[in-house]
Amino acid sequence: MSAPTGRGSDARSGPGGAPVPRIDAYEKVTGATRYAADRTPPGLAHAALAVATVGRGRVARVETAAARAVAGVLLVVTRFEEHELRPAGYRLSGGYGFQSLQPLLDDRIAYRGQPIALVVAETPVAAAEAAALVEARYEAAPAVAVTLDAAGAETVGQAAALPQPMFADLAMGDADAAFARSPVRLDAEYDIGAQHQVPMELLGTVVEWRGDDLVVHECTQNSGAVRHGLARQLGIAPARVRVVSPQVGGGFGQKTWLQSHVGPLAVAARRLGRPVKLVVDRTQTFHGSTFRPASRHRLRLGADRSGLLTALVHETRQQTSRHDLFASDFTSVTARLYGIGDFRGHQRLTRTDVQTPGFMRAPFEHAAVFALESAVDEIACATGHDPVALRLANDTGSDPVTGRPFSSRHLAACLRRGAELFGWAARTPRPGSMRAADGTLVGWGVAAGAYRASAGPAVARLRLAADGRIAVEVSGHEMGQGLRTAIARTVALDLGISAGGVRVGVGDTGEVPQHLTAGSWGTATALPAVHAALRRLRSCLGAPDEGPLDTVAAAAERAAAGRPEAVVEAVSLPPGQSARAVDRLRAGLPTPAGPEYPGFSAFSFIAHFVEVRVEPAIGRVRVPRVVSVVDCGRVASPVTAAGQIRGGVVWGIGAALRERGEPEPRHGGFHHADLAEYLVPVNADVGRVDVDFVDVPDPLVNPLGVKGCGEVALVGVAPAIANAIHHATGRRHRALPIRVEDVLAPEDDRNGNCP
Amino acid sequence: MTDTATRPEHGPSAGDPLEVAFAVNGTAVRAAVDVRESLLDVLRERLALTGAKKGCDHGQCGTCTVLVDGRRVLACLTLAVQARGRAVTTVEGLAAPDGTPHPLQQAFIDHDALQCGYCTPGQIMSALACVAEGHAGDDEEIREYLSGNLCRCGAYPGIVAAVRDYADSARSTEG
Amino acid sequence: MRPFSYRAPATLAEAVAALADGGPGARPLAGGTSLYDLMKLGVEAPSAVVDIGRLPELAGFDTAGPEELVFGAGASMADVAEDAVLRADYPALAESLAKAASPQVRNMATVGGNLLQRTRCGYFRGGPAFDCAKRRPGSGCAARGGLDRGHAVLGTSDACTAAYPGDWAVALLAFDARLDLYGPRGARTIALADLHRGPADAPHEEHTLGAGELVVRIRVPTAPAGRGSVYHKVRDRESFAFALASAAVALTLDERGRVAHCRVALGGVATRPWRAEAAERAVVGGPLTEEAAVRAGEAAFADARPGAHNAFKVRLGARVVARALRTAAERAAGRAVA
């Protein structure tokens, strides 16, 4: 592969322009930003949910008299009629819901925490009081299965259960034979517990009927799916539904599909003739939407004595629900992180009594790369090679799956630059050989990561107002990743104007069609549409195709000529997609392309370097510093991209050391369902995080050279931490999270040796 | 003598609304509240002050942090009636009347100490108190004394930088 | 949450009368961080709430007296944690407060109310899906054979293994603290050690206060062991988390460096603030070597009865005790503390 020519720019000096601060920061620091639940239309009523207390079975009877008797209660619904509410369908079956099951339509209970009643009242306290008074009698199943190993959990092969090419098992060469003849072999199993996205914003919805039209303020990363899903549920035309989601208080995958409380809320609002708000109780959010399912990975990784990786067999098992198959895709990243010619993957799904799991930041890559990068570290130890050098030696310029080139791949640059910034050369390889001044064990670990560079179709509409200001409406959602800033900066750099003068609208189905904004494709999807719209605007104004454009003068000229404001619209498509993808976009259906495009494959890459301090006597692990270097193509918005990477590192600390979705094996559901028990990192858990970008435009994925960065930021953090702990203590940890009891030295001999 | 400003002589019976008077951002307010209502719900649903956010409603996340008589507290675990006679400050009360952000708010902008922005009002109110309490001596102390405010986006490094910056300038202004 | 009547009396006497008026369903509300939280969960459902947050008799604290430290029950955890005398002369007390909860919670919560904080057991807080003898006497214990990683290994009974969650009471236990109470039958004083009940067969009876009786103040005799004290807390996060295991140690050394006096109390591992007398006996009279500290830690957990997922607390707790002893000895000897 060619050496990168990156500028090594820091976050505040992106190429081709001055740093652009987050354009919506002022509103956010002054409390002016309105999130969905901040809406208080006149006449607003408040809703609450009552949920099932058994893990599986059916509701025999729901007693609502006490709830109805509460002062201020307007409505208690335990069952909606089929003519007023239909299922929205599961997203993998052409529907719009995060799961196929729509609560409050029948008596089935599939998981603890499933709604059994919707209460609407004049005030939030009255609604909550009444919901707590709803009592149900159940016919509970004798047992529930909520873990991968539970009796009664059923395991199916994914390729057989979902016979579509995208779910097929990957195989190149003869991995089993190659593994068998490899001189160095590792055969290990890795466990990754369930996790919850827990964005700080609670699931919140305000629904309001305006005549026959429904307006929904919803915190969602996918207002298009909410619109079309609601239209299907309510039996009305999608044009009658407007979903508005301009600012989301964190998504991380939790808000990617229609939540099952929204349809019931819309029916309740119609019955009452009043707007209704529901803010889902935090504990209920642990069952009211998706989660990262538990997964188990068996890796057989072979190498020769020189440290060249020769074979990889990656067999996986992932939790899904009893009622839906949430397909996994662990192997498309492990097959490509290194140039391993002989690869075999096999993916299975285990049905359990939970709500259907779903996407959570780096949905498969986080777990898959934890397994692979832990194993690679073991190979480095076993062959006596430096972990960075071994990774560099196994780099590849072409995609092992397709044989075609990567559009760009600067993983080696990430590793080299990271090692330099971190001071890796000072590392002594023997575990337990480095100590801090206070006597704690020091461990340095490294891991790489990759994430597919996807993109989809998008629509952008640009308007040049009479005062010369530019307004742009784009397909996409702002969850804090900085999409609006990247859009404003793109417009500003193109026209030579100030980013502050660009008004950016996103997430509103009343403006342009809205896609699912996830999978790190948001920026690479929206910016090409903005880019195309800018070309249209220039053409419409008779301006040259590039160079500064005096928008004030252009607007004045148009006004003087008696012409209306200039409004242009453009549609963009990623390489290889046809106009049919735009039809899917307009229907609220997912349309991402990648990582395989005609003639090339596209991924973002990252290298993380981590220092840990370990006190084995009490099981304490701290992470005082991390260095992360990213190849995400051209950095579209340096300030917000750096924030994304730092946030991904914090997520990695949480995933490696803190967070564990705890299924209750006898009662079903998740037990640690609040923010005191489900432990996300606090400020004191995070030390110094240094971020750098290779910042070389990708020549193929889109005209702006932009790949994604939000997901890849997390990929590899957890194994870098686990590898660092091994370096500190000599002990391998193959299950996440790594907690006090895991690190607690079993006896005084705490410095193990390399395997 | 019981607090006659807020209740009749023999105490209200359960469920009756109670009138409560306090100040918010320098303005006197008076509201008839259900005694069960939190200060957070009253701010958000009755007074249209939606800057303070609900992230857990159980004192576990800090997004609802406001100042009461200058001290940082959790509005979700404060009964609205407990605020009687108090001065409440929310994030809406920090910027100058002309919209100029408070120096701490500006520091959050300068250091990009936020992403989705949902926890930001709570972070800022908490940080303001943290500095006033004298708990912003170094990065480690800032981290510890801002650990009551979760940020799921992971903007902690920027938050610490912003608070350090603001604390340094506040100290140098004091001379 | 069920409706309740709310009263905000102006004096302690009125408060006690109001609590008596309210009957068995009446609850005092000080900081509110625990009670209001549990009311939202439906675990507490008082018919009457008596706001004692502004009672002058409960306010303030004094650490300057020659014979005792006096803490009004209504003083905030934050204010007490910040006290310069406490930080210098009784670091275990200051640390136990500073390491509890978050700055916001410490501003709201009181040092009296904190003593009576209820367990964090998920089956207790989780509501009607689970059996819990604290919530519904006699209904059993869902934690037995369940997810009990955070639960107690000391002082458990068949009816309940829920851990006492607080830090402050643990530290106070190392200092012979006493409580002044006031209730319908007047004033009395009890030892802090007599405040909390173990679960036995009635886990819902968590303390020995009479009906309508309030903690008015906490008194701690001044003690030279204060300077030789530490509160060591291990938790799942670096901050804002409950103890997996904690130890308060207060000790003095004689002129030859031998332990003259020693108190050890444990948190996070027991059903109530737990005095570890076996650990104390193990170190008194000898130098506090690493070996002695380890032996004392092991002695503290000799009677431990772990559940399904918390066996690690025995090993962890013993080491926490050992480390706390060593740190306390360093402090007592006036050496720099790492």
Side-chain angles (χ1 to χ4, degrees):
Chain A
M1 58 179 286
S2 61
T5 54
R7 294 156 232 226
S9 59
D10 75 22
R12 292 180 176 272
S13 56
V20 172
R22 188 178 296 271
I23 63 161
D24 39 19
Y26 176 81
E27 288 73 24
K28 287 179 173 177
V29 301
T30 52
T33 301
R34 291 279 174 274
Y35 301 85
D38 292 338
R39 308 279 160 178
T40 50
L44 184 65
H46 298 267
L49 296 169
V51 301
T53 56
V54 299
R56 184 183 174 192
R58 55 179 291 275
V59 182
R61 180 178 165 73
V62 186
E63 189 50 66
T64 61
R68 287 174 203 279
V70 169
V73 166
L74 302 166
L75 191 65
V76 181
V77 188
T78 59
R79 190 77 58 86
F80 285 92
E81 302 294 329
E82 203 179 318
H83 68 84
E84 57 181 358
L85 185 71
R86 285 173 282 273
Y90 180 43
R91 57 161 198 103
L92 278 179
S93 312
Y96 299 96
F98 82 85
Q99 62 179 353
S100 59
L101 186 154
Q102 172 61 53
L104 306 179
L105 286 183
D106 59 40
D107 62 357
R108 286 176 301 156
I109 298 298
Y111 53 93
R112 184 162 68 81
Q114 179 184 322
I116 57 167
L118 174 72
V119 176
V120 185
E122 293 287 353
T123 64
V125 280
E129 178 191 359
L133 290 171
V134 171
E135 280 207 36
R137 282 215 326 272
Y138 304 92
E139 289 168 12
V144 294
V146 286
T147 62
L148 288 173
D149 298 316
E154 297 168 61
T155 296
V156 297
Q158 177 170 297
L162 295 167
Q164 298 169 47
M166 61 190 293
F167 303 127
D169 286 332
L170 282 178
M172 297 94 72
D174 186 343
D176 296 277
F179 177 75
R181 62 173 183 264
S182 296
V184 181
R185 290 189 296 272
L186 175 77
D187 185 345
E189 201 164 78
Y190 299 86
D191 263 295
I192 289 86
Q195 276 187 287
H196 302 278
Q197 301 96 340
V198 293
M200 298 314 301
E201 180 188 29
L202 293 165
L203 297 175
T205 311
V206 177
V207 294
E208 186 177 3
W209 288 90
R210 296 179 186 161
D212 289 335
D213 290 344
L214 177 64
V215 178
V216 180
H217 288 276
E218 165 75 336
C219 56
T220 179
Q221 303 168 237
N222 195 353
S223 49
V226 175
R227 169 194 234 179
H228 289 273
L230 278 173
R232 179 187 285 190
Q233 291 205 282
L234 303 172
I236 60 177
R240 305 232 77 103
V241 182
R242 180 178 172 193
V243 179
V244 189
S245 179
Q247 289 281 0
V248 182
F252 315 115
Q254 187 199 43
K255 300 164 179 171
T256 44
W257 296 93
L258 177 61
Q259 315 287 5
S260 49
H261 65 263
V262 185
L265 212 59
V267 176
R270 189 162 56 189
R271 285 200 201 168
L272 291 170
R274 292 174 64 170
V276 180
K277 179 193 290 192
L278 174 65
V279 177
V280 180
D281 170 271
R282 174 58 79 182
T283 291
Q284 292 178 355
T285 67
F286 284 78
H287 303 110
S289 188
T290 62
F291 62 100
R292 186 198 302 281
S295 65
R296 182 171 298 157
H297 304 251
R298 183 181 177 198
L299 254 58
R300 272 161 284 175
L301 180 60
D304 67 19
R305 301 263 176 228
S306 75
L308 276 181
L309 303 173
T310 49
L312 176 58
V313 179
H314 185 183
E315 294 172 331
T316 69
R317 200 144 71 81
Q318 176 195 267
Q319 173 182 32
T320 185
S321 67
R322 196 78 76 172
H323 45 280
D324 295 310
L325 290 172
F326 173 59
S328 63
D329 185 9
F330 293 113
T331 52
S332 67
V333 66
T334 50
R336 290 169 162 113
L337 193 55
Y338 297 108
I340 305 174
D342 292 285
F343 179 93
R344 181 173 66 77
H346 180 51
Q347 305 189 108
R348 289 171 297 166
L349 301 172
T350 298
R351 294 181 185 270
T352 59
D353 298 308
V354 293
Q355 76 270 27
T356 302
F359 301 124
M360 176 166 159
R361 199 174 200 170
F364 312 108
E365 295 75 7
H366 158 61
V369 170
F370 169 69
L372 178 58
E373 284 294 86
S374 298
V376 166
D377 203 65
E378 295 206 41
I379 294 288
C381 260
T383 57
H385 287 87
D386 175 78
V388 174
L390 182 123
R391 286 172 170 83
L392 288 169
N394 283 286
D395 197 11
T396 175
S398 62
D399 178 350
V401 176
T402 63
R404 293 191 287 266
F406 287 108
S407 56
S408 59
R409 176 173 167 126
H410 301 300
L411 177 57
C414 294
L415 285 161
R416 291 198 181 99
R417 179 92 181 114
E420 181 190 325
L421 290 171
F422 188 82
W424 184 259
R427 180 180 186 264
T428 56
R430 191 172 57 79
S433 62
M434 293 172 68
R435 268 174 206 272
D438 64 2
T440 56
L441 293 166
V442 174
W444 286 3
V446 63
Y451 191 86
R452 58 182 54 199
S454 294
V459 179
R461 186 191 305 134
L462 272 178
R463 191 162 60 92
L464 173 65
D467 62 359
R469 288 162 73 97
I470 299 280
V472 51
E473 287 286 345
V474 195
S475 312
H477 299 79
E478 173 66 64
M479 299 90 72
Q481 79 277 39
L483 179 64
R484 298 174 80 245
T485 304
I487 291 167
R489 186 170 183 270
T490 298
V491 173
L493 285 178
D494 193 284
L495 300 178
I497 60 175
S498 149
V502 182
R503 205 182 65 79
V504 179
V506 293
D508 186 345
T509 65
E511 296 289 348
V512 292
Q514 292 297 334
H515 65 188
L516 165 61
T517 308
S520 283
W521 63 65
T523 302
T525 297
L527 293 193
V530 173
H531 183 78
L534 283 163
R535 308 277 78 70
R536 287 251 163 102
L537 179 71
R538 287 170 173 278
S539 151
C540 166
L541 297 174
D545 207 40
E546 48 189 46
L549 195 158
D550 187 338
T551 55
V552 175
E557 203 175 299
R558 270 182 90 82
R563 302 175 65 194
E565 294 180 339
V567 179
V568 297
E569 192 170 292
V571 178
S572 63
L573 284 167
Q577 274 195 341
S578 73
R580 284 188 51 204
V582 182
D583 297 338
R584 285 179 62 83
L585 167 67
R586 293 187 190 280
L589 295 166
T591 47
E596 294 175 26
Y597 296 91
F600 62 91
S601 298
F603 281 78
S604 291
F605 298 93
I606 198 162
H608 299 286
F609 292 79
V610 169
E611 175 173 325
V612 297
R613 301 286 174 92
V614 185
E615 297 170 61
I618 55 165
R620 184 184 189 200
V621 178
R622 284 171 292 158
V623 185
R625 67 187 183 109
V626 178
V627 171
S628 303
V629 183
V630 194
D631 163 22
C632 58
R634 189 175 73 83
V635 182
S637 170
V639 169
T640 58
Q644 282 279 82
I645 305 304
R646 286 192 295 265
V649 169
V650 174
W651 266 59
I653 293 170
L657 303 175
R658 301 278 182 266
E659 298 172 35
R660 182 178 169 84
E662 195 76 74
E664 215 298 343
R666 300 159 307 164
H667 299 268
F670 289 99
H671 195 53
H672 291 167
D674 66 30
L675 293 177
E677 298 292 335
Y678 184 80
L679 295 168
V680 303
V682 295
N683 205 319
D685 287 322
V686 179
R688 181 171 171 172
V689 181
D690 290 322
V691 173
D692 199 9
F693 294 96
V694 174
D695 201 8
V696 175
D698 184 290
L700 298 175
V701 286
N702 54 54
L704 295 109
V706 171
K707 303 189 281 189
C709 73
E711 322 260 343
V712 79
L714 170 63
V715 184
V717 180
I721 291 172
N723 294 341
I725 294 172
H726 173 264
H727 182 234
T729 66
R731 293 177 66 204
R732 283 284 170 199
H733 298 278
R734 295 187 180 133
L736 297 183
I738 304 162
R739 295 189 292 184
V740 168
E741 57 267 49
D742 306 311
V743 179
L744 202 58
E747 66 276 332
D748 291 339
D749 171 28
R750 56 199 177 194
N751 299 339
N753 296 309
C754 260
Chain B
M1 192 60 225
T2 51
D3 194 336
T4 51
T6 59
R7 67 169 203 85
E9 193 59 27
H10 294 293
S13 58
D16 287 351
L18 248 168
E19 185 154 297
V20 55
F22 54 99
V24 182
N25 300 328
T27 304
V29 296
R30 192 169 271 277
V33 305
D34 186 314
V35 290
R36 294 173 291 177
E37 274 182 284
S38 66
L39 176 60
L40 179 63
D41 277 350
V42 169
L43 289 171
R44 290 179 52 79
E45 305 293 344
R46 294 186 189 273
L47 302 176
L49 289 166
T50 54
K53 300 288 186 251
K54 187 179 285 188
C56 72
D57 215 24
H58 288 273
Q60 301 165 355
C61 77
T63 60
C64 66
T65 304
V66 298
L67 306 185
V68 171
D69 288 352
R71 292 164 70 99
R72 48 175 158 166
V73 302
L74 300 168
C76 79
L77 287 187
T78 304
L79 288 170
V81 291
Q82 285 178 285
R84 68 190 185 280
R86 305 291 199 203
V88 177
T89 309
T90 71
V91 73
E92 289 95 339
L94 297 191
D98 69 354
T100 304
H102 183 281
L104 177 60
Q105 291 173 316
Q106 187 62 49
F108 267 63
I109 296 173
D110 294 344
H111 292 276
D112 199 40
L114 61 131
Q115 289 190 35
C116 81
Y118 196 82
C119 75
T120 308
Q123 298 280 358
I124 287 175
M125 299 315 291
S126 193
L128 198 60
C130 173
V131 174
E133 291 161 6
H135 286 309
D138 58 28
D139 286 1
E140 195 181 342
E141 189 179 24
I142 293 169
R143 288 184 186 117
E144 169 62 26
Y145 281 86
L146 285 181
S147 281
N149 293 82
L150 304 185
C151 171
R152 185 53 159 165
C153 296
Y156 297 131
I159 291 167
V160 173
V163 176
R164 186 204 314 129
D165 194 1
Y166 166 70
D168 288 350
S169 62
R171 267 193 292 271
S172 65
T173 311
E174 282 165 18
Chain C
M1 198 187 318
R2 307 300 300 269
F4 54 85
S5 69
Y6 171 84
R7 300 174 75 167
T11 68
L12 178 61
E14 285 180 15
V16 167
L19 284 166
D21 259 12
R27 290 282 183 282
L29 177 103
T33 52
S34 193
L35 180 64
Y36 193 20
D37 169 43
L38 291 171
M39 286 160 64
K40 290 182 182 190
L41 293 174
V43 171
E44 292 271 11
S47 55
V49 167
V50 177
D51 187 344
I52 58 170
R54 301 190 193 185
L55 296 183
E57 296 93 333
L58 308 190
F61 59 95
D62 180 3
T63 55
E67 285 171 9
E68 60 180 13
L69 318 174
V70 182
F71 305 97
S76 79
M77 292 173 70
D79 287 348
V80 176
E82 294 289 301
D83 182 68
V85 174
L86 216 60
R87 288 167 57 148
D89 294 344
Y90 299 85
L93 293 178
E95 288 163 357
S96 75
L97 292 166
K99 290 179 180 178
S102 71
Q104 292 95 313
V105 172
R106 297 195 295 269
N107 269 344
M108 303 167 72
T110 64
V111 294
N114 182 251
L115 300 175
L116 298 168
Q117 184 180 11
R118 304 191 70 187
T119 186
R120 304 298 299 189
C121 170
Y123 299 102
F124 167 73
R125 292 173 60 84
F130 311 115
D131 288 337
C132 174
K134 276 190 190 294
R135 268 191 287 105
R136 276 178 300 144
S139 69
C141 172
R144 293 194 76 80
L147 300 172
D148 59 1
R149 175 176 181 267
H151 285 63
V153 297
L154 293 167
T156 59
S157 76
D158 287 347
C160 184
T161 64
Y164 173 77
D167 301 296
W168 165 239
V170 174
L172 286 171
L173 199 53
F175 287 98
D176 289 330
R178 293 189 299 163
L179 308 176
D180 289 345
L181 312 178
Y182 186 74
R185 288 188 285 180
R188 66 182 178 122
T189 295
I190 64 170
L192 172 79
D194 295 329
L195 176 66
H196 298 94
R197 292 178 191 268
D201 54 0
H204 61 290
E205 294 174 358
E206 296 175 357
H207 57 76
T208 57
L209 296 183
E213 196 170 41
L214 292 171
V215 178
V216 175
R217 68 186 70 81
I218 301 162
R219 292 192 282 132
V220 177
T222 53
R227 282 182 181 248
S229 77
V230 66
Y231 186 74
H232 189 40
K233 178 176 179 179
V234 173
R235 41 192 162 168
D236 276 321
R237 291 196 287 219
E238 288 291 310
S239 185
F240 201 11
F242 292 93
L244 287 170
S246 69
V249 170
L251 56 77
T252 55
L253 303 176
D254 66 18
E255 67 287 347
R256 293 170 56 190
R258 294 174 307 198
V259 177
H261 161 95
C262 180
R263 283 290 167 81
V264 179
L266 310 180
V269 294
T271 52
R272 59 189 182 88
W274 192 262
R275 173 102 177 263
E277 290 173 70
E280 298 166 4
R281 283 195 299 272
V283 295
V284 169
L288 226 168
T289 60
E290 180 68 33
E291 296 67 34
V294 166
R295 236 181 11 253
E298 283 163 4
F301 287 85
D303 297 331
R305 287 204 318 175
H309 302 284
N310 61 0
F312 76 99
K313 283 192 172 186
V314 175
R315 192 156 26 109
L316 174 65
R319 290 174 183 176
V320 169
V321 168
R323 183 176 290 194
L325 282 165
R326 296 277 284 168
T327 304
E330 286 171 15
R331 289 179 178 180
R335 285 200 291 273
V337 180

